[in-house]
Amino acid sequence: MRIAIDLGYSHVKGVSENHRVLIPSVVSPARELLLADLGEKVGHRVEIRRVNGNTEAYFVGHLALREGLAPSLSLDRERWTQPHHDVLVLATARLLDAMPGTDLVVGLPPGYYGELKDALARHLMALHGEVAVDGGEPKRVSFGRVLVYPQGAGALLTVTDLPARGLVALVDVGYKTTDLVGGEIAGGRWRVISSLCGTVEVGVHAVHEFLAQEIRRVSGAQLDETRLAELMEEGGFCFRGREYDVRPLLARARANVAQAIADRVLARLGERGDFVRRIYLAGGGAAALPELAEMLPVCQPIPEAQWANALGYLMAGRRLQN
């Protein structure tokens, strides 16, 4: 069996040949919910039994956002050193019906890839446990082979309308980072150009930071990081009986962050940027920052932009097996 997991700083996207899983990348310790039988069920309760016999229980995703006492959203560069990374991986794998010895494909930003890919692969090869989700039967999850693939390059594998020749680039907008993968098509084959690849330390998180500062200024409210994504969708909030409309603040924040990303991407492309035939736009941030498509020349958002890396990783895994 083979699965692919795009462990984003905002959402985890997991895919297999038959299933898809989308979970906010938020984890909190589980606790008793007195009125759990009332209302719509959201998110997941995950129990993991380790080799030493200890069982740990967590709220994951929307359940952690709604009911977690201390929901954790990690922005660490080496995320697998944080315990909640493994919870998200094991929970996603279990929801995809992974079995012992499942092949796993994951990604790293191009800027981290060369330095950290071996360490991440070793960590995931050693990861295992008995995992139960939402009161279901515990099943063992472990990984037989692990392939670490560059983010953005995974998304580029899903593009079906590449030009016959010339330079192309893919911009993958994430929560913490934006990844750039550039290459040249010649003779029907695509070749990466390392000087046109890299990671920009700007993403949707910068919009959240701007919003948090402005909301404190106009209302005095201190909003947790995990609440800001909801604000972007809702467009406002109530604080101490007063309604606040954040849409003007959000529009300004999006425009500023999109411009910052565009400037850095074009600077990385340099003079070659004038000769790029197509810039493809992927990642969950592609929808969160629609202004970016207008700021990059010959830009084209790709279908299923949020899922593109996970789907591309699965394709890379098929090639590995063959």
Side-chain angles (χ1 to χ4, degrees):
M1 182 180 182
R2 179 177 54 255
I3 65 173
I5 298 179
D6 177 11
L7 197 77
Y9 287 97
S10 173
H11 286 78
V12 180
K13 286 77 65 177
V15 297
S16 67
E17 299 294 345
N18 303 308
H19 301 289
R20 293 188 183 189
V21 172
L22 179 66
I23 307 173
S25 302
V26 184
V27 177
S28 73
R31 61 192 180 93
E32 183 180 1
L33 300 179
L34 299 178
L35 302 179
D37 293 336
L38 300 179
E40 180 185 3
K41 298 291 190 299
V42 298
H44 304 283
R45 178 187 171 92
V46 177
E47 294 185 358
I48 301 172
R49 186 167 63 202
R50 304 292 187 178
V51 176
N52 60 11
N54 292 338
T55 298
E56 307 156 358
Y58 300 93
F59 292 158
V60 173
H62 288 292
L63 186 57
L65 288 169
R66 178 181 289 186
E67 300 286 1
L69 291 177
S72 171
L73 181 83
S74 174
L75 297 180
D76 197 290
R77 184 169 180 259
E78 299 180 26
R79 296 179 63 192
W80 61 91
T81 63
Q82 305 299 316
H84 289 172
H85 169 276
D86 293 352
V87 176
L88 288 168
V89 171
L90 290 173
T92 303
R94 180 69 182 85
L95 287 166
L96 291 171
D97 295 325
M99 301 178 294
T102 291
D103 287 345
L104 172 65
V105 189
V106 296
L108 274 176
Y112 310 164
Y113 179 75
E115 177 186 356
L116 301 177
K117 63 182 177 67
D118 291 338
L120 175 57
R122 285 194 300 269
H123 177 84
L124 291 172
M125 285 287 291
L127 180 62
H128 56 88
E130 299 281 336
V131 185
V133 178
D134 300 330
E137 178 186 357
K139 289 188 177 180
R140 179 173 175 77
V141 175
S142 64
F143 305 112
R145 291 185 296 182
V146 175
L147 172 65
V148 181
Y149 208 75
Q151 286 177 196
L156 196 55
L157 291 177
T158 70
V159 176
T160 58
D161 62 344
L162 288 170
R165 64 183 186 280
L167 297 176
V168 296
L170 184 136
V171 177
D172 177 23
V173 186
Y175 185 69
K176 180 189 176 187
T177 63
T178 296
D179 299 314
L180 172 65
V181 176
E184 183 177 22
I185 302 173
R189 304 190 66 177
W190 182 80
R191 179 176 62 86
V192 172
I193 300 176
S194 295
S195 61
L196 299 184
C197 299
T199 297
V200 176
E201 297 284 344
V202 182
V204 177
H205 174 62
V207 177
H208 289 184
E209 288 186 319
F210 179 89
L211 269 182
Q213 293 172 3
E214 290 299 293
I215 286 170
R216 282 196 299 269
R217 181 180 63 81
V218 301
S219 70
Q222 300 273 357
L223 292 181
D224 185 85
E225 179 77 31
T226 56
R227 280 280 292 128
L228 292 169
E230 296 177 21
L231 276 188
M232 290 183 67
E233 296 180 3
E234 297 170 1
F237 67 101
C238 178
F239 182 64
R240 294 178 178 172
R242 181 177 174 182
E243 296 287 341
Y244 290 89
D245 183 358
V246 301
R247 287 174 294 181
L249 301 176
L250 180 57
R252 190 161 74 248
R254 283 203 318 251
N256 289 341
V257 173
Q259 189 64 63
I261 292 173
D263 289 346
R264 286 165 172 78
V265 166
L266 293 174
R268 186 59 182 257
L269 292 175
E271 294 180 355
R272 284 185 170 182
D274 293 333
F275 300 94
V276 170
R277 291 180 180 270
R278 191 72 53 81
I279 296 179
Y280 298 97
L281 194 58
L289 298 172
E291 298 86 353
L292 184 58
E294 302 173 3
M295 298 176 181
L296 294 172
V298 294
C299 186
Q300 175 183 319
I302 67 174
E304 297 193 285
Q306 186 177 34
W307 292 95
N309 268 312
L311 294 171
Y313 297 160
L314 197 65
M315 294 171 66
R318 294 189 196 115
R319 296 179 182 182
L320 175 68
Q321 189 173 44
N322 293 336

